[in-house]
Amino acid sequence: MELTSLMIYIGIFITLFLLAILISDGDLTLMFAERFGKRLSSVKGQVYWIVGASSGIGEYLAYELVANGAKVVLSGRRENELQKVKAQCLIIGKKSGISEADVLLLPVDVAKLELHQQYFDAVLKHFGTLDVLVNNAGRSQRAEWMNIDIRVDKDMFDGNVFGLLNLSRIVMPHFLQKKRGQIAVTSSVCGKVGAPCSASYNATKHALHGYFETLRAELTTQGISVTMLCPGPVFSDLLSACATDTYGQKLGGAMTKKDRRMSTERCARLCAVAMVNHLDEAWISINPVLLSLYASQYAPSLFRSFNGRLGARVAMTLRDSRNDLVNSCKQDSQQVKSD
């Protein structure tokens, strides 16, 4: 009788657990923090440096922060786009007391390591301090593993990993001197589970976890906080600069309204919640991607076996919610083989 009751309780718990995941768009810790954690208004007066702020998650994260009174540094390579983001920040931030001096536009190319100290000096000259560095820069990819030019791998690591890593090391002495500081890193669901036809991209996101989780382990007792942000499919312009298997080539194209993706605004808000509450890691995605993350975490072999049976095409369709990107990857592959 006692065993039967225990099994019933376990069954009820598992059912409620699954239901909670299915109605969520973030991991359960993040959902709890959004409802009961520290308010976003706590960012007021703090300085956030967003590297990769010209579009997508970085752009809307800037809007979320200034709406709550934070001062921001907007960085990226596309200065014209940054100008538009700054103008919108000033409009949104007006109610929270944000002025022209509270939004610094700082064009940055993360691949130019020799300029990183100069970039950071410009931040300190303007604001005198930095509270949070948001490493959001990076490119995605669509290409089959066996056909990727090794130069593509190196190029992806330079922009998605080494640039962010070096910039973080430039900033770290300032954080240690203050005895507090936070680094937020935009990883991806692909940093937790390898997705087909994105090998170089997946590898860069896994590398970010390796580097920055080690940083957390070494310096958390000295006031350094690291938040790994792992978004799933989100509306952005990532396809325009998306890498392929060919060095120097861009996939091009744009997402459509029919795609099944999280809104950029919602993703940015959850990123802000994760940072404000100093969460170590946050999963941000619609289902079934979010559910697959839990499956890969708690039943890794079973998940990979099931995923393998589905095949790469189905997995890619679930991620991109369309077939043309799958076909594009296959066509590129076939063209390389015929050459």
Side-chain angles (χ1 to χ4, degrees):
M1 186 66 178
E2 290 183 0
L3 180 59
T4 302
S5 298
L6 178 61
M7 294 302 293
I8 292 174
Y9 287 134
I10 292 175
I12 292 173
F13 173 79
I14 293 174
T15 301
L16 292 175
F17 183 70
L18 288 174
L19 284 174
I21 295 171
L22 290 172
I23 63 173
S24 299
D25 55 3
D27 68 82
L28 299 185
T29 304
L30 178 59
M31 295 295 95
F32 183 87
E34 183 184 27
R35 188 174 181 85
F36 302 108
K38 190 180 294 185
R39 300 293 91 187
L40 292 181
S41 56
S42 63
V43 305
K44 188 175 182 63
Q46 294 187 356
V47 179
Y48 283 72
W49 185 6
I50 307 173
V51 181
S54 58
S55 64
I57 297 172
E59 174 188 353
Y60 282 87
L61 179 58
Y63 299 155
E64 191 70 48
L65 292 171
V66 295
N68 287 279
K71 302 174 183 180
V72 294
V73 183
L74 305 174
S75 289
R77 289 185 295 180
R78 297 177 292 173
E79 187 170 354
N80 289 338
E81 297 302 315
L82 290 175
Q83 290 282 6
K84 297 176 184 177
V85 176
K86 178 176 180 179
Q88 189 64 20
C89 281
L90 292 175
I91 294 172
I92 294 173
K94 190 173 182 180
K95 291 183 179 179
S96 57
I98 294 297
S99 65
E100 178 85 21
D102 296 324
V103 182
L104 173 64
L105 191 155
L106 181 64
V108 161
D109 185 345
V110 293
K112 295 183 178 179
L113 307 186
E114 70 278 7
L115 296 180
H116 284 188
Q117 186 63 58
Q118 180 180 321
Y119 295 147
F120 185 46
D121 289 343
V123 173
L124 293 182
K125 182 178 180 181
H126 188 86
F127 286 117
T129 189
L130 177 66
D131 296 295
V132 182
L133 171 64
V134 183
N135 285 321
N136 181 64
R139 297 172 62 200
S140 188
Q141 182 191 40
R142 297 295 181 271
E144 284 197 304
W145 187 93
M146 66 181 294
N147 299 313
I148 300 172
D149 188 321
I150 193 65
R151 293 176 297 173
V152 174
D153 295 300
K154 292 179 179 179
D155 185 56
M156 292 286 288
F157 267 80
D158 284 341
N160 286 17
V161 181
F162 298 136
L164 305 181
L165 178 64
N166 189 69
L167 192 61
S168 300
R169 284 174 174 160
I170 293 290
V171 168
M172 195 52 56
H174 175 73
F175 284 168
L176 290 173
Q177 185 178 23
K178 291 173 52 175
K179 296 183 179 180
R180 61 181 176 84
Q182 182 179 16
I183 292 181
V185 183
T186 303
S187 175
S188 168
V189 165
C190 294
K192 304 296 293 182
V193 180
C197 291
S198 297
S200 311
Y201 175 76
N202 296 343
T204 63
K205 295 304 181 180
H206 277 75
L208 289 175
H209 282 268
Y211 275 118
F212 286 97
E213 287 175 12
T214 301
L215 168 63
R216 182 195 299 124
E218 292 180 2
L219 295 180
T220 187
T221 58
Q222 298 184 50
I224 305 303
S225 171
V226 175
T227 298
M228 302 299 298
L229 304 168
C230 303
V234 177
F235 280 103
S236 71
D237 67 345
L238 65 83
L239 294 180
S240 62
C242 188
T244 66
D245 55 14
T246 304
Y247 182 69
Q249 185 183 72
K250 295 180 181 179
L251 180 66
M255 297 175 184
T256 69
K257 293 181 179 179
K258 294 181 180 180
D259 292 354
R260 284 198 71 251
R261 296 175 179 270
M262 180 183 287
S263 73
T264 322
E265 297 92 332
R266 176 60 177 164
C267 180
R269 179 175 177 80
L270 290 178
C271 287
V273 169
M275 289 189 292
V276 165
N277 287 277
H278 292 269
L279 301 184
D280 289 344
E281 185 171 292
W283 301 348
I284 304 167
S285 181
I286 59 173
N287 278 300
V289 176
L290 180 63
L291 182 61
S292 73
L293 273 177
Y294 276 95
S296 69
Q297 186 85 356
Y298 295 109
S301 295
L302 183 63
F303 166 77
R304 283 166 176 79
S305 176
F306 177 75
N307 207 34
R309 292 175 185 275
L310 287 178
R313 179 175 290 271
V314 174
M316 277 195 72
T317 303
L318 286 174
R319 179 183 62 179
D320 292 319
S321 66
R322 47 200 280 203
N323 290 321
D324 58 333
L325 294 179
V326 180
N327 295 333
S328 175
C329 178
K330 298 294 181 183
Q331 288 167 5
D332 288 345
S333 169
Q334 291 169 2
Q335 183 176 356
V336 170
K337 289 176 181 177
S338 65
D339 290 344

